[in-house]
Structure formats: C-alpha cells, structure tokens
Amino acid sequence: MRLVRSWLGVLCAVILLASPASAQVAPASTAGAAAPDLAALRSIESQVAQIRGLQPLAEPDLKLLDHVSLHTYLAGQFDKDYLPNEREADQKQWVALGLIKSTDDVVQIQLSLLTDQVIGVYDPDTKSLIVVGDQGAFGPTEKMTYAHEFNHALQDQWFDLNGLAPKHNDSSDRSLAIHAVIEGDAIMLQTLWASQNLTQDELIQMSRAAASSPDDSLARVPLIVRTELLFPYVEGFNFVRNAYRQGGNKYAAIDELFKNPPVSTAQLLHFEKYANDVQPVDVQLPDLASQLEGGWRRVGSGVLGELDTRVLLEQWGTDHGDAMRVASGWAGDRWQLVEKDGRSAIVVKSTWETPGAAQSYFSAYSSGLRKRFDSAMTEESSSTRQALTTPTAATDLRIDGSNVTTVLAFDRDSANALVAQLN
C-alpha cells in the first residue's frame, strides 16, 4: 500500500499533532509569506547542525509560502508521484480487505489530510526547504518546523534520501519502516532543539495553542490511513530514541540507522529484531491471473507487514492490545490482487514465527471474518479451515503449520479456483 508513502517518498514533512511539541497554525491568510530574519534562520541551522553532528554540505533552497500556496504545491507533488496503477491497487486492495468502504476514495482522503496536517516540507528532488510563513511573525511553531526541515536537508546531503527511500518501492512495508527512521530522527532533533533553544514562554505558547485548537480530521479517516500516517512520527521516534540511548546517547548510533535501515515494520516495532537482524521471510505467490481461465488480470501485489496485519485485526474486532500481541508473531507475507469482469479478489499468504503464533492469528482473523460477513453461510469451520459464503463474497482461510493463507473472492467458484492455484 502506497497511499501514505506515495508523497512521503518525495516529501519529508512536519505533520500537525505528530509531535508533542507541535501546535496548530492559524488559518490561511491572503497576505504573502512573511519573511523571517535570515540571520535567525542561519542561527537555527547552526544549532541543528551542532545537535545533529552533521555539518551542511550546501545551503538548501528556502521557500516561504502561505498556506494556500503550500497546499497547491503539495497537491501537485502528490498527483505527480502517486501513479494511477498505484492508486488503483491501493483502493481495491483496501476495499477487498475491508479496511475502507467501497465508497471511500483513498486519493481524496489523502489530499484532505495533506491540506489539513502538513505545515512544512523538505523536497529532496529539488533540494528545497518549504515552510509556511503567512502568520505575520515567525513564531515558535515556525522555528521548530524550520529545525525539523533543516534536519531533513542534512539527512539528504549525508545519506541521500531518494536513494534510501525510492518513490516506488516494491515493498511498502519496508518503505514505511525507512520513512520511520527519517521522521523519527527529525522528531527527536526538533524536540531536543526546542528544549535547548525556545524560551519557557514559547514552549507554553505552543502547548496552549495545541490544546485550544483541537483537530479531529485524523479521527474521521479510516484506521488504516490514520495508523500509517502517524507511524513514522510516533513509532519512528521511539525506534530512533531507543537506538540513541543504546548507543550511549550519541548521534553516531542514528547515523548507523541510515547506513543500515530497518527492512520491515516488524523491525521498527521491535528493536531487538532490528538489532538481531531478524529478516522478514520472502513469501512467494504464483502469478495467479496468468494461471486462471476466463480473462483475469493482476492489479497489484506487495507485503502487508506486521503493522498493517495488526490494523486488519483491529478493524474487525480484535482489541488493540490483543492485535499487537498476535501481530508480533508475524514473520513474512505476500498479497496479490486479481480481477475479473471488474470484480476483485485478494490472496494473502503469511508465515509466522511459530505454529502457535500462526494459530493465534488464524483464530483472531477467523473471528474477524465472521464479524465482517455476519450473515454468511458457513461452508466449513474447523481447526484448519474456515470458509464463509454470501451472495457477493466467499472466504477461504487455512492454516498449515506456521503458514496461514487467506482468499477473499466475490463468489465460491472464484475462491475455489484461487485455492486450487495455490495448492
């Protein structure tokens, strides 16, 4: 799924509410961007470089925009970098898994979040540092945003962000983990910078502004979108802070994260898996569309990963704590979405650390499917297989040792055909 990563692959942004020190900004103004004192910006750059331990190799192109111009810029970048085939695959995959409604539009959801939540951007394509500057004054929020974004510029100059996080990564799970390092580092830097360089009055001002300007736009979006959007900032910060502390409170430990980044959200969520180099299993699926008769086509494929597997369980009734526990046994997966006559079917093959972990997932997801298809006829409900049928859907969930295979199709014949190809 590239929905959230589609623009994070190009733009490193400050997201409102993602950091405890962030605050809401004022409504868009018709006035032009208010230019801060250049000497003040250079002072912030020097402070950031000193804290981060990386000296700038070049001066990034600074652009101060008002809110309207920033939103226009973000929408343009989003449209350019979120490819049509990626949009189709994301939309249909999430509908097939029941993570969004068929009436939801992932493109519009993401565009709305961009205009609501982003207050600063670093673009590694153009080496541009863009911040909102239509407040009439360059206050503490703008200062901290500049510190955050300048840190992204340092990351890019020293570690090549486009090389580290390609726009169209074949594993969105790996891409999300890498972005968590990028944003976790920036959140940690801005937190340290604010504590050292903002006055007590400025910190209080930001806290009051955030408390007095609640924003429920994130609460209104589907769980999968909200979780993926905040993951790089919240879990990324926890991961980077853990590395920093284990490295003797030295930024050299964070530099090593950029040189050897995590390869899965499982590594990001469990630092010991990263430290012990626990690699995800490379699960394979056949090219199903080419093997099925009757005009099937392949829409997309990828890896769910531990994070999205957890969300899938939560979406259909597993409480957060249990979903975290069950998903922590994830070892690898592969999904593939195919389509016939405009109707989609999805296959997910997952492998787990132990047969017991696979059984926990099989039991939890079996319960979730019964809740999702609560009026379905039960074809089978045994210790190794659950199969449900409705007039417009058919499921086939199977466990074999440490492996669990899910087929979600539009009728029983199509589900059986897919299972036959997997076997």
Side-chain angles (χ1 to χ4, degrees):
M1 284 173 258
R2 284 167 292 264
L3 171 61
V4 172
R5 272 92 67 199
S6 63
W7 60 274
L8 282 178
V10 180
L11 308 175
C12 301
V14 172
I15 304 291
L16 293 174
L17 308 180
S19 165
S22 66
Q24 295 285 354
V25 292
S29 166
T30 57
D37 182 358
L38 188 60
L41 296 184
R42 296 294 175 258
S43 177
I44 293 173
E45 292 174 7
S46 177
Q47 294 158 357
V48 168
Q50 182 176 7
I51 295 171
R52 186 59 183 81
L54 297 174
Q55 291 303 311
L57 304 179
E59 192 64 44
D61 179 27
L62 174 63
K63 296 180 180 178
L64 289 162
L65 303 179
D66 60 25
H67 280 74
V68 174
S69 299
L70 177 61
H71 297 166
T72 300
Y73 171 83
L74 290 171
Q77 293 296 108
F78 178 87
D79 188 61
K80 180 184 73 173
D81 294 312
Y82 196 11
L83 302 179
N85 65 304
E86 295 172 344
R87 301 181 190 205
E88 179 189 18
D90 287 346
Q91 175 78 31
K92 292 180 177 178
Q93 181 207 358
W94 281 359
V95 170
L97 291 173
L99 293 171
I100 63 173
K101 300 174 183 177
S102 60
T103 54
D104 288 333
D105 185 327
V106 295
V107 173
Q108 290 306 314
I109 289 171
Q110 181 64 0
L111 282 173
S112 295
L113 284 176
L114 279 174
T115 56
D116 284 345
Q117 301 295 325
V118 175
I119 60 174
V121 168
Y122 173 74
D123 186 344
D125 280 349
T126 62
K127 312 303 179 188
S128 299
L129 200 160
I130 304 167
V131 293
V132 172
D134 59 357
Q135 310 304 107
F138 204 69
T141 297
E142 289 76 22
K143 293 177 183 177
M144 190 179 67
T145 298
Y146 193 80
H148 180 114
E149 298 306 337
F150 187 73
N151 187 53
H152 282 318
L154 293 178
Q155 293 170 344
D156 189 30
Q157 291 173 12
W158 282 87
F159 304 112
D160 182 16
L161 293 183
N162 280 336
L164 188 67
K167 295 179 186 178
H168 310 293
N169 199 316
D170 60 356
S171 172
S172 56
D173 184 61
R174 182 170 64 246
S175 177
L176 187 54
I178 292 171
H179 283 297
V181 172
I182 295 170
E183 292 301 340
D185 174 30
I187 291 292
M188 182 169 163
L189 181 284
Q190 75 175 47
T191 303
L192 291 173
W193 178 87
S195 67
Q196 295 177 21
N197 295 284
L198 293 181
T199 67
Q200 191 64 30
D201 286 344
E202 286 176 320
L203 293 171
I204 293 173
Q205 175 187 338
M206 294 177 65
S207 297
R208 288 176 175 171
S212 64
S213 304
D215 184 354
D216 62 351
S217 60
L218 282 176
R220 295 194 300 265
V221 304
L223 177 63
I224 183 67
V225 179
R226 182 168 67 252
T227 301
E228 285 204 351
L229 181 66
L230 293 180
F231 176 82
Y233 299 88
V234 178
E235 297 299 340
F237 171 68
N238 291 335
F239 180 81
V240 167
R241 180 176 56 181
N242 200 340
Y244 180 79
R245 289 174 173 173
Q246 293 197 22
N249 294 334
K250 296 179 180 178
Y251 259 105
I254 298 178
D255 292 345
E256 287 301 315
L257 298 180
F258 283 85
K259 298 173 185 177
N260 182 30
V263 295
S264 67
T265 56
Q267 285 192 344
L268 204 291
L269 289 164
H270 309 282
F271 190 84
E272 69 278 5
K273 291 185 177 182
Y274 171 78
N276 295 324
D277 195 29
V278 178
Q279 297 283 317
V281 176
D282 183 16
V283 177
Q284 295 295 316
L285 287 172
D287 186 357
L288 297 169
S290 67
Q291 298 181 12
L292 294 168
E293 297 180 357
W296 290 81
R297 75 179 184 97
R298 176 170 166 166
V299 178
S301 66
V303 176
L304 284 180
E306 179 178 336
L307 180 70
D308 286 359
T309 299
R310 186 188 81 195
V311 175
L312 182 63
L313 294 175
E314 286 189 72
Q315 182 76 32
W316 294 106
T318 305
D319 70 49
H320 181 71
D322 286 343
M324 289 181 64
R325 176 184 57 79
V326 171
S328 68
W330 178 93
D333 73 59
R334 178 75 58 179
W335 63 266
Q336 190 175 138
L337 183 75
V338 292
E339 187 177 82
K340 178 182 179 181
D341 299 329
R343 296 185 294 176
S344 297
I346 192 166
V347 172
V348 183
K349 183 178 180 181
S350 60
T351 188
W352 297 78
E353 292 179 338
T354 65
Q359 183 62 56
S360 294
Y361 174 71
F362 178 82
S363 298
Y365 194 42
S366 293
S367 177
L369 288 174
R370 284 193 295 270
K371 290 179 181 178
R372 180 181 175 187
F373 302 104
D374 55 357
S375 62
M377 178 180 67
T378 301
E379 302 282 350
E380 181 178 334
S381 181
S382 68
S383 60
T384 59
R385 180 176 181 248
Q386 181 205 71
L388 307 173
T389 304
T390 77
T392 58
T395 76
D396 196 306
L397 181 67
R398 302 184 184 221
I399 182 172
D400 180 11
S402 296
N403 301 314
V404 179
T405 303
T406 305
V407 173
L408 304 176
F410 46 82
D411 59 27
R412 181 52 53 190
D413 287 344
S414 61
N416 290 341
L418 287 164
V419 170
Q421 295 302 323
L422 294 172
N423 291 335

